Amino acid sequence: MSLWIFIAYWTSTNDCNRNAAAPTNPMKAIRYCEYGSPDVVKLDHVEKPVPTDNQVLIQVRAASLNALDVYLIRDSWLGRLIFGLRKPRDTRLGRDVAGQVEAVGKNVTQCKPGDEVFGTCRGALAEYACASERSLVMKPPSVSFEQAASLPLAGLTALQGLRDGKIQPGQKVLINGATGGVGTFAVQIAKSFGAEVTAVCSTRNVDLVRSIGADHVIDYTIEDFTKSDQRYDVIFDNVCNHSFTERRRVLTPKGICVLAGMGGAGVRGSEAIKRIAGNLFTARALSSFTDQKFAQYMTKMSKQDLIMLGDLIQKGKLRPVIERTYKLSEAPEALRYLNEGHARGKVVITAN
Ligand SMILES: NC(=O)c1ccc[n+]([C@@H]2O[C@H](COP(=O)([O-])OP(=O)(O)OC[C@H]3O[C@@H](n4cnc5c(N)ncnc54)[C@H](OP(=O)(O)O)[C@@H]3O)[C@@H](O)[C@H]2O)c1
């Protein structure tokens, strides 16, 4: 076993070899050659990707950042086990993409050059990226590339989590961490389901959550929502900074707490992993023995859900909150900002 770990460690490598030949068909891309802080992220010239038979080559017009991009860079033993022991195997960054189709593989049937699309891929922080046709949908004409790029991971996380929570019109729903990428979508989607929404955020964001439709606001710097007499049918928890007992106290007898952010905002490395493992175990155990449920989930790519989110924007029922837009060359700065854990809505990167 230890020999295997030793071999895996020394053989894990990536394409950041300093002596490598210059790319023949270069493009600009953000990549990380080693683990660390967002300071390890660099703008580089790399080979322009070529789509496989099932892929679409996109000229990236906008991409957006997610907590996942920051987790990938971070140096943690779990990250090394999954993404490469010595160095990250895949040096690309960015999942959420919006852009124009430049070329398609021979098995692609639903996209053609010139189409404007959005969805998920590997390496969205670049001038070009390849994506599976299954991960892309058409961008509604009235939705900007920046808005479309802000949607995929955060929008799907909010939609799928609230749906797992079986949200119903008229229910009382609390969104903890209401002003980040996921939270700003969750507040609006919960409202579109007809729920009465309470948003938990810090003082500087009170006006923001009101402007996106929250019925009630709890400023967590002044008030702890788990100490109030109010009960909620659904708690959508992006932060997970309260104990299970505290959250059960404010759930209705058959209420459900959806655990979106199990690692906890601002929690790093092995502490985050301990939290996730503890949360998983306790959530399962409690949900088996009580009527109050704790649901954990992984966001799934779903074309149908993405189309629904795009339609909601087109109809004016969903407004992506884009706090900051950075150029591709400024992506390291954007990642540093997201890493602070207090972004307001989404951070978007534009191609130029
Ligand atoms: N389950 C999945 O598959 C899945 C998928 C995507 C994301 N996630 C998780 O979902 C979580 C949220 O992601 P995100 O993209 O929205 O992150 P984000 O954009 O970085 O948002 C962080 C937000 O947390 C708020 N916050 C920090 N401390 C808080 C506290 N004590 N109480 C209430 N709010 C607090 C901040 O608001 P203030 O500035 O007001 O403090 C900030 O707006 C992350 O943990 C992420 O890993 C899970």
Side-chain angles (χ1 to χ4, degrees):
M1 178 68 173
S2 50
L3 179 65
W4 179 86
I5 292 175
F6 181 79
I7 293 170
Y9 182 80
W10 284 108
T11 53
S12 73
T13 181
N14 58 33
D15 54 358
C16 295
N17 183 353
R18 281 174 206 284
N19 303 320
T24 48
N25 192 9
M27 68 160 188
K28 287 186 208 146
I30 290 291
R31 58 181 187 163
Y32 70 121
C33 294
E34 54 194 302
Y35 297 109
S37 70
D39 295 334
V40 301
V41 170
K42 302 262 179 304
L43 181 73
D44 234 333
H45 283 92
V46 301
E47 205 67 60
K48 182 175 166 183
V50 177
T52 62
D53 290 350
N54 298 315
Q55 282 184 330
V56 172
L57 176 67
I58 304 162
Q59 183 188 10
V60 179
R61 300 288 295 274
S64 82
L65 299 184
N66 290 288
L68 175 67
D69 299 304
V70 177
Y71 294 152
L72 285 176
I73 304 166
R74 248 175 231 163
D75 192 356
S76 73
W77 59 265
L78 185 64
R80 282 181 184 263
L81 273 180
I82 300 171
F83 306 116
L85 281 179
R86 197 154 65 99
K87 293 172 175 183
R89 277 186 297 272
D90 189 345
T91 59
R92 298 170 295 177
L93 276 176
R95 295 289 167 112
D96 289 345
V97 69
Q100 194 160 32
V101 175
E102 177 157 299
V104 297
K106 71 175 165 52
N107 298 336
V108 171
T109 55
Q110 288 163 23
C111 295
K112 58 180 188 322
D115 284 348
E116 295 183 345
V117 293
F118 73 106
T120 60
C121 69
R122 295 282 175 99
L125 299 185
E127 289 179 303
Y128 295 89
C130 284
S132 155
E133 185 183 25
R134 284 174 301 169
S135 308
L136 296 173
V137 298
M138 294 299 152
K139 180 182 80 60
S142 64
V143 175
S144 70
F145 284 109
E146 287 79 3
Q147 288 178 320
S150 75
L151 261 183
L153 200 48
L156 290 173
T157 303
L159 175 64
Q160 293 172 4
L162 288 166
R163 224 169 28 202
D164 277 6
K166 303 196 170 45
I167 182 172
Q168 300 293 329
Q171 282 189 325
K172 290 188 165 45
V173 174
L174 177 132
I175 316 284
N176 188 26
T179 51
V182 176
T184 47
F185 284 123
V187 169
Q188 299 178 73
I189 293 170
K191 281 298 295 176
S192 77
F193 277 110
E196 183 181 327
V197 175
T198 300
V200 180
C201 64
S202 61
T203 314
R204 72 185 184 118
N205 289 323
V206 168
D207 290 343
L208 167 65
V209 284
R210 286 222 172 92
S211 75
I212 56 173
D215 299 291
H216 315 282
V217 183
I218 296 177
D219 178 343
Y220 70 76
T221 66
I222 299 171
E223 189 186 343
D224 178 345
F225 75 86
T226 64
K227 304 265 187 306
S228 91
D229 293 332
Q230 186 61 61
R231 298 287 176 271
Y232 300 96
D233 303 294
V234 179
I235 297 177
F236 183 89
D237 201 345
N238 279 313
V239 193
C240 291
N241 56 336
H242 292 279
S243 71
F244 282 89
T245 313
E246 286 168 333
R247 283 174 288 181
R248 284 187 64 197
R249 221 195 124 259
V250 285
L251 274 178
T252 54
K254 294 201 171 180
I256 180 166
C257 178
V258 181
L259 307 167
M262 281 192 296
V267 182
R268 303 276 179 268
S270 54
E271 180 54 31
I273 292 157
K274 263 194 281 174
R275 278 232 210 165
I276 291 171
N279 277 331
L280 274 173
F281 177 78
T282 318
R284 277 277 157 86
L286 279 173
S287 300
S288 311
F289 296 114
T290 71
D291 283 339
Q292 292 172 324
K293 302 291 175 214
F294 286 86
Q296 72 281 359
Y297 68 108
M298 287 297 287
T299 306
K300 292 185 196 69
M301 171 57 206
S302 154
K303 278 190 166 215
Q304 219 180 338
D305 288 351
L306 262 192
I307 291 169
M308 178 180 164
L309 290 168
D311 279 352
L312 283 176
I313 299 187
Q314 181 142 279
K315 289 179 183 142
K317 293 188 175 165
L318 187 62
R319 175 171 68 84
V321 176
I322 298 175
E323 181 194 13
R324 294 186 184 192
T325 304
Y326 293 83
K327 292 182 194 148
L328 183 60
S329 57
E330 298 166 336
E333 194 186 327
L335 283 157
R336 273 192 289 276
Y337 176 63
L338 193 72
N339 191 37
E340 289 167 13
H342 293 284
R344 304 168 95 186
K346 292 290 296 181
V347 175
V348 167
I349 309 291
T350 54
N352 41 44

